[in-house]
Amino acid sequence: MNDGPSVCGVFWHNCPVVIITSRREDEINGQVATTLVTSSIVHTVPRLLMGIWKRNHTHGFIMESKNLVVHLLKRDQIALVRNFGFYSGRDKKKFIGLDHFEGRNGCPVLKGIHSYVECSVLNAMDGGDMTAFLVSVDYGEIMRGGEWMTLADFYSLAPEQWVIEYGQKLMESVSFSMPIIHKISHEPFQP
C-alpha cells in the first residue's frame, strides 16, 4: 500500500497560501502559490524554496527578471486568492483596483496583506511541469501580522462555488501536467 500521496496531502493542505508577484519590463503580474518553504537555517541569510508551475504567466516573469515578491495573506483576504489564482495574467489585469506599490526590486507589493518579502533568484531546478526556485530574501515587512491563510482556510472560508471552480481548475492543471511532469531537464541553471 502506497500512502505517499496521502502523507504529502497533509503538507499541501496546511501550507500557506501566498501571492507571488513579479515584473517584466513595464508589465506586472501575480499568481497564487502553495509550494513554499524556508530553506536556510541561518536566520541572517534567509532563503525560500518555491515551486512555480510552468504554465503560469508569472513563471516567465520570474525566469526573465529573476525578481519576485512573496505575500502572506490574512485569513480574510479570500477575494485576493480568487483574483490572483483563478485567472491568468494573459487574460486579465490583476492589479486593477488594488492598492500596491513598487518594491525595492521593482516588483509590485500589495498593501494591506499580512506580510511580504522581496526576493531574488539564486538558483532553479527543472521539475517537469514546474520550476523550483531557490530565492534570497532581500527585504521584507510585516504589515498586519496575526494568523496567515493556509490552503485549509481557503477550503473552509471560500464560498462553495469558488471551491468547485478551484477543483475544476486543479483537474485541468493536472491534465496539463501529466504528460510533462517526468520530462525533467538536468541542464544547470544560468542565473
Side-chain angles (χ1 to χ4, degrees):
M1 177 178 212
N2 180 8
D3 289 328
S6 296
V7 173
C8 285
V10 171
F11 294 109
W12 189 60
H13 199 67
N14 293 308
C15 63
V17 175
V18 298
I19 292 176
I20 309 290
T21 60
S22 190
R23 173 182 294 279
R24 180 173 53 193
E25 297 175 10
D26 291 335
E27 189 179 3
I28 59 175
N29 196 50
Q31 69 166 70
V32 169
T34 57
T35 307
L36 178 81
V37 294
T38 59
S39 62
S40 173
I41 62 168
V42 180
H43 74 278
T44 57
V45 185
R47 292 181 176 165
L48 299 171
L49 184 63
M50 66 188 65
I52 303 294
W53 195 48
K54 289 180 181 175
R55 192 172 184 187
N56 283 354
H57 194 44
T58 308
H59 183 275
F61 285 57
I62 296 168
M63 289 295 285
E64 288 180 34
S65 74
K66 311 292 188 280
N67 289 304
L68 56 107
V69 175
V70 178
H71 304 77
L72 277 173
L73 304 178
K74 295 289 289 177
R75 294 180 75 213
D76 63 355
Q77 294 180 307
I78 294 287
L80 288 175
V81 175
R82 183 172 177 81
N83 183 66
F84 284 95
F86 283 47
Y87 311 98
S88 171
R90 293 178 190 91
D91 305 322
K92 176 184 178 179
K93 301 283 187 206
K94 298 181 181 184
F95 287 88
I96 293 175
L98 295 179
D99 286 337
H100 64 282
F101 61 92
E102 185 175 301
R104 295 173 184 208
N105 67 2
C107 298
V109 178
L110 295 167
K111 293 183 178 180
I113 44 89
H114 178 283
S115 52
Y116 73 94
V117 289
E118 298 183 34
C119 304
S120 53
V121 176
L122 296 171
N123 207 343
M125 180 182 75
D126 185 55
D129 64 335
M130 54 76 74
T131 301
F133 290 101
L134 175 67
V135 301
S136 169
V137 174
D138 304 321
Y139 180 79
E141 287 186 44
I142 297 173
M143 298 175 115
R144 289 176 55 197
E147 290 186 45
W148 58 75
M149 185 189 310
T150 66
L151 194 56
D153 291 328
F154 170 77
Y155 280 117
S156 65
L157 299 172
E160 183 179 350
Q161 182 57 38
W162 292 12
V163 174
I164 292 168
E165 285 179 50
Y166 177 74
Q168 292 167 340
K169 183 174 174 45
L170 193 57
M171 286 186 344
E172 292 169 11
S173 300
V174 168
S175 295
F176 171 84
S177 292
M178 286 307 294
I180 62 172
I181 197 164
H182 297 294
K183 295 179 181 178
I184 298 172
S185 169
H186 296 282
E187 297 259 335
F189 176 71
Q190 300 299 319

